Amino acid sequence: MTDCKMEFQCFVAFVIFAALASSLCYAYDPSPLQDICVAIKDPSSAVMVNGKFCKDSKLATADDFFFTGLNIPRNPSNSVGSQVTPVFADQLPGLNTLGVALARIDFAPYGLNPPHTHPRATEILTVLEGSLYVGFVTSDPDYRLVSKVLNKGDVFVFPIGLIHFQQNVGHTSAVAISGFGSQSPGLIVIGNTVFGSKPPISDDALAKAFQVDKKVVDEIQAKFAMPK
């Protein structure tokens, strides 16, 4: 009986370990088990992989792996002075299951890509034009700002999950290209998340969190509630 009990305990421990290992693996994009999986919206065609239905690989064409127009400037005339053009699986269906993505960021003079995180991807940024002040903040307990001014041709990496930002420090427009280690990096803009949630977080809670008067919180929430 003792041996049976030990064997059962070992089996349970193995199952728990396997479950934990599986959950850790799925913290990142899973490795593809096929050459290609072009994302389509028609569920009658095939199996779903990574949240997308896959086209029959025999019907895939070069256009499924092609995106054009990333050379075209986007208008950054908004409240923060930046505009992101994503090239994710939704824009480039052939990216599905491949674990990478791309984006162009256009900056107005002194424009900002506000503090944000990508919960599922590390980001690597290359400056094409202009000068950018960039940085990320390490996690608890240090909260250390790691920052640098980048010029044309410079590259900077933002570790997965950490709050980071980019700001144009020049009086002319700036452009950067970012690569991501996921087909769907995710985006959490700190200001929008904290002050623009629907329904809003209690101003009392935010006043305590930020150590300010509730009137200050109300004013900020009102700005984030306005149409952008």
Side-chain angles (χ1 to χ4, degrees):
M1 291 293 292
T2 302
D3 290 341
C4 290
K5 184 177 181 181
M6 288 293 294
E7 289 178 2
F8 177 73
Q9 289 175 340
C10 290
F11 174 74
V12 171
F14 171 77
V15 171
I16 293 173
F17 174 79
L20 289 172
S22 175
S23 66
L24 289 173
C25 289
Y26 281 97
Y28 298 92
D29 291 4
S31 298
L33 299 178
Q34 65 289 314
D35 289 338
I36 58 176
C37 178
V38 176
I40 56 174
K41 296 180 180 180
D42 182 6
S44 65
S45 296
V47 67
M48 178 179 282
V49 180
N50 287 10
K52 304 286 187 183
F53 291 103
C54 298
K55 177 187 288 188
D56 184 336
S57 61
K58 296 183 181 64
L59 303 178
T61 68
D63 284 342
D64 294 321
F65 304 90
F66 174 75
F67 179 92
T68 188
L70 209 60
N71 62 311
I72 301 172
R74 268 57 176 187
N75 185 4
S77 297
N78 51 44
S79 59
V80 294
S82 69
Q83 183 67 50
V84 177
T85 305
V87 186
F88 298 167
D90 285 341
Q91 292 80 32
L92 182 55
L95 280 180
N96 192 43
T97 76
L98 298 184
V100 294
L102 194 69
R104 172 185 171 126
I105 314 171
D106 287 277
F107 296 87
Y110 307 106
L112 172 72
N113 191 10
H116 61 280
T117 73
H118 302 293
R120 294 183 291 274
T122 290
E123 175 182 356
I124 185 167
L125 177 141
T126 303
V127 179
L128 300 184
E129 296 291 342
S131 297
L132 298 178
Y133 168 53
V134 306
F136 62 84
V137 179
T138 62
S139 57
D140 181 76
D142 297 327
Y143 300 115
R144 187 166 67 94
L145 174 63
V146 180
S147 63
K148 192 173 183 64
V149 174
L150 308 181
N151 297 303
K152 183 177 180 178
D154 291 344
V155 176
F156 199 84
V157 66
F158 305 98
I160 183 172
L162 296 187
I163 292 176
H164 58 282
F165 65 91
Q166 302 104 22
Q167 183 176 26
N168 184 0
V169 291
H171 61 274
T172 60
S173 298
V175 183
I177 292 287
S178 281
F180 301 92
S182 170
Q183 73 176 57
S184 180
L187 176 65
I188 301 173
V189 182
I190 307 307
N192 298 55
T193 303
V194 174
F195 295 104
S197 67
K198 298 178 179 60
I201 298 173
S202 161
D203 58 359
D204 181 64
L206 292 180
K208 285 183 172 66
F210 288 94
Q211 298 295 294
V212 296
D213 190 273
K214 285 198 291 185
K215 291 182 178 180
V216 175
V217 172
D218 293 339
E219 289 178 4
I220 297 174
Q221 285 182 321
K223 291 180 179 179
F224 278 92
M226 295 172 59
K228 297 296 186 291

